[in-house]
Amino acid sequence: MDRTIHPSSALKGEITVPGDKSISHRSVMFGAIADGTTEITGFLAAADPLSTLSCFNAMGITHRFEGDKLYINGKGLHGLQKPSAQLDAGNSGTTIRLICGILAGQHFPVSISGDQYLVKRPMKRIIDPLRRMGADITATEAMTAPLSIRPAGTLTAIDYELPVASAQVKSAVLLAGLYANGTTRVIESEQSRDHTERMLGLPVERSNGRTIVSVKGGQGVSAGHYAVPGDPSSAAFFVVAGLIVPGSEILIRNVGMNPSRIGFLSVLKRMGGSIEYLNERTVGGEPLADLLVRSSQLSGDIILEGEIIPNIIDEIPVLSVAAAFSAGSFHVKGAQDLRNKETDRIEAVCANLRTTGLTVESFKDGFAFVSKNSLFHGSFDSFDDHRIAMAFGVASLALNGPSTIRHAECVSISYPAFWETMQSLQR
Ligand code: S3P
């Protein structure tokens, strides 16, 4: 489905963004391997977390939705059952990478794959450490899915220094660590999102700029309650929309403010964005706030590189849209992993920015604006990537004529009601 978006008058109103995708995936996975029933409020019932849920259903885990609550009937570390068919992770990198940490410790063989995009994404990053732990895991020659995992007995604990800053890799190793002899330690020099360690209550040390997370083999996972905050990565689209559409004022309620996720807010503030944090609080171990966004004249030369990159990795597409409407320059470096997301996000962002008339140069590890004239409306490709669709949907609100987003329905991966929420702010 293509979607036409017209230039918008001021966006006004209050919205609540859907639940955090990263935390929703984890709440199902950790609930499944806990002893007893876990109650989840605010679960994101979008395609990606539902892929995680269906993988665990296929391994004998039952669940029920009751109002806004999801209950997962956990069966403990060793209670999963052999699925009758290959597991399907759909489009979800988080599903396939994290679940492999759990599958590596099971007593049954299993294989897992996903859609045409997921099977192109690199899996060597999880296969290498899991094999070091003794896991029996095989992939295609290109080290991509489908992946086959056979029982390997008890795994061996390792110390693993992450070669790529990735919460997915960190989490896969920590989950395998639950099935290992001894204490597994994951060391990262650039901090990635810390939901796994927070939710499992794992010890975290910081020394010499490095973060070390440990997990003891055999330590049980407690069943209980997870309160999923609103996804800051989803809020980011409406924060940018509010900043770039003149006269706007939007209140975004219940946004997760985990410091490992909100680097985009500091970038937008550096560009002169008016974003107020209201009603700051902590719920279920995660900080939350309501965000009041007012349209702003953006400016300032922005270079994004180094340790902020893992923090803003999912927000770079929409930050590039904010920058397109700013008077300043924009340069992203050291973000080569953007090429390994749902699509190659460096090329996708550059192609769509070029459609607006911007001159952009792409590099192996990022991109930069070369020159800027007036921006034009046009036809944008989503590349079937939810975040590209939403980022250029937002851009379209502030362009000089109607734009189209190709395959706009892909927002269902993380934000099924995105287009309706956008319309609700235009009334
Ligand atoms: C995620 C980690 C990030 C992010 C993805 C979700 C997670 O991926 O891009 O959307 O939930 O752990 P990487 O760990 O590959 O950077």
Side-chain angles (χ1 to χ4, degrees), residues 148-366:
S148 295
I149 299 154
R150 282 182 293 270
T154 305
L155 302 175
T156 308
I158 56 170
D159 278 1
Y160 192 64
E161 196 155 343
L162 289 181
V164 264
S166 164
Q168 293 177 350
V169 179
K170 170 172 65 178
S171 303
V173 175
L174 291 170
L175 287 168
L178 292 170
Y179 296 91
N181 267 331
T183 298
T184 294
R185 301 188 329 145
V186 180
I187 301 134
E188 51 183 5
S189 48
E190 285 176 353
Q191 213 206 332
S192 63
R193 64 194 67 191
D194 62 359
H195 305 301
T196 297
E197 43 275 44
R198 278 186 192 238
M199 292 170 74
L200 293 178
L202 301 178
V204 179
E205 293 160 58
R206 282 179 229 286
S207 75
N208 301 328
R210 303 189 321 161
T211 308
I212 303 162
V213 189
S214 324
V215 64
K216 281 204 189 104
Q219 82 173 63
V221 175
S222 311
H225 175 81
Y226 293 120
V228 182
D231 197 325
S233 300
S234 296
F237 298 104
F238 289 110
V239 173
V240 171
L243 295 177
I244 65 173
V245 177
S248 299
E249 184 171 311
I250 308 177
L251 182 65
I252 311 173
R253 292 201 183 277
N254 199 36
V255 180
M257 295 292 278
N258 179 311
S260 65
R261 298 287 301 281
I262 57 166
F264 74 95
L265 290 171
S266 61
V267 175
L268 291 170
K269 285 183 170 201
R270 261 202 278 152
M271 293 165 88
S274 165
I275 308 162
E276 270 180 67
Y277 303 169
L278 307 178
N279 195 13
E280 289 182 74
R281 59 219 186 258
T282 300
V283 177
E286 289 279 350
L288 291 183
D290 302 332
L291 303 180
L292 180 63
V293 184
R294 293 194 184 89
S295 60
S296 309
Q297 289 294 333
L298 301 179
S299 62
D301 295 331
I302 299 290
I303 299 178
L304 300 175
E305 62 182 330
E307 65 185 27
I308 196 172
I309 296 295
N311 190 309
I312 59 170
I313 194 77
D314 290 341
E315 289 70 62
I316 289 175
V318 77
L319 285 174
S320 76
V321 166
F325 289 90
S326 154
S329 64
F330 191 65
H331 191 161
V332 178
K333 302 179 186 178
Q336 55 278 4
D337 219 28
L338 282 176
R339 294 197 182 273
N340 299 318
K341 297 293 176 185
E342 286 80 333
T343 187
D344 176 340
R345 286 187 177 157
I346 292 181
E347 295 310 328
V349 164
C350 289
N352 282 339
L353 289 175
R354 287 183 192 120
T355 298
T356 69
L358 259 173
T359 312
V360 197
E361 192 178 350
S362 68
F363 313 104
K364 200 167 142 251
D365 67 339

Side-chain angles (χ1 to χ4, degrees), residues 66-133:
E66 233 176 69
D68 71 336
K69 292 188 169 45
L70 167 61
Y71 294 91
I72 303 285
N73 300 311
K75 290 192 173 176
L77 281 184
H78 300 285
L80 300 177
Q81 290 159 15
K82 182 178 183 307
S84 58
Q86 184 175 65
L87 298 177
D88 181 5
N91 187 245
S92 175
T94 307
T95 305
I96 195 166
R97 295 207 180 105
L98 268 65
I99 212 172
C100 280
I102 296 175
L103 298 179
Q106 301 307 312
H107 50 83
F108 51 79
V110 53
S111 70
I112 183 164
S113 196
D115 72 7
Q116 55 173 318
Y117 301 104
L118 192 65
V119 295
K120 295 205 185 92
R121 297 179 66 183
M123 295 297 146
K124 186 175 183 312
R125 55 185 63 196
I126 54 149
I127 293 172
D128 283 348
L130 293 178
R131 280 187 180 158
R132 271 187 55 194
M133 297 177 82

Side-chain angles (χ1 to χ4, degrees), residues 1-3 117 381-382 384 389 405-411:
M1 171 200 74
D2 294 351
R3 193 167 182 106
Y117 301 104
D381 201 333
S382 66
D384 284 334
I405 307 290
R406 280 201 291 277
H407 293 184
E409 70 282 359
C410 62
V411 300

